Amino acid sequence: MNNLMLIGKVVQNVTDDNNYIVIEVSRKKDDENKSFEIDLFDCYLSTTISNCMKDYCKVGSVVGVRGKLQNRYTDDGKRYNVVVGERVTFLNSNS
């Protein structure tokens, strides 16, 4: 089963030119200082979801993204993973 849930801050808004957001997710490091690292994820969204994101979210908003991982390929054949968001929950609007 290919399901994932990410909770993080929006660091790049949806624009009219794209249907994706970039979210920043904290990840606990395995060290004695209990510090965190930041992971950035490109989350591709449907047009309906991205239109809602444009209206209600901005950089700094906290969202939950439920979706799946998908392989994509560059023009030269290199594989990379993307998140395909199926549902977005607005956890705060940061208005």
Side-chain angles (χ1 to χ4, degrees), residues 4-10 21 23 43 45 49 53 57 61-67 85-92:
L4 66 90
M5 179 68 177
L6 298 172
I7 297 174
K9 290 182 182 179
V10 175
I21 58 170
I23 63 170
C43 300
L45 308 170
I49 295 173
M53 294 292 295
C57 286
S61 297
V62 179
V63 296
V65 178
R66 187 178 73 196
E86 297 170 340
R87 182 175 182 152
V88 174
T89 302
F90 307 125
L91 301 175
N92 84 353

Side-chain angles (χ1 to χ4, degrees), residues 46-89:
S46 69
T47 303
T48 305
I49 295 173
S50 63
N51 286 338
C52 287
M53 294 292 295
K54 282 188 257 187
D55 293 340
Y56 296 106
C57 286
K58 61 182 181 180
V59 171
S61 297
V62 179
V63 296
V65 178
R66 187 178 73 196
K68 59 187 175 185
L69 282 177
Q70 190 175 78
N71 288 328
R72 299 217 174 150
Y73 295 89
T74 61
D75 292 336
D76 60 357
K78 292 183 182 177
R79 182 178 66 182
Y80 64 100
N81 294 321
V82 297
V83 175
V84 178
E86 297 170 340
R87 182 175 182 152
V88 174
T89 302

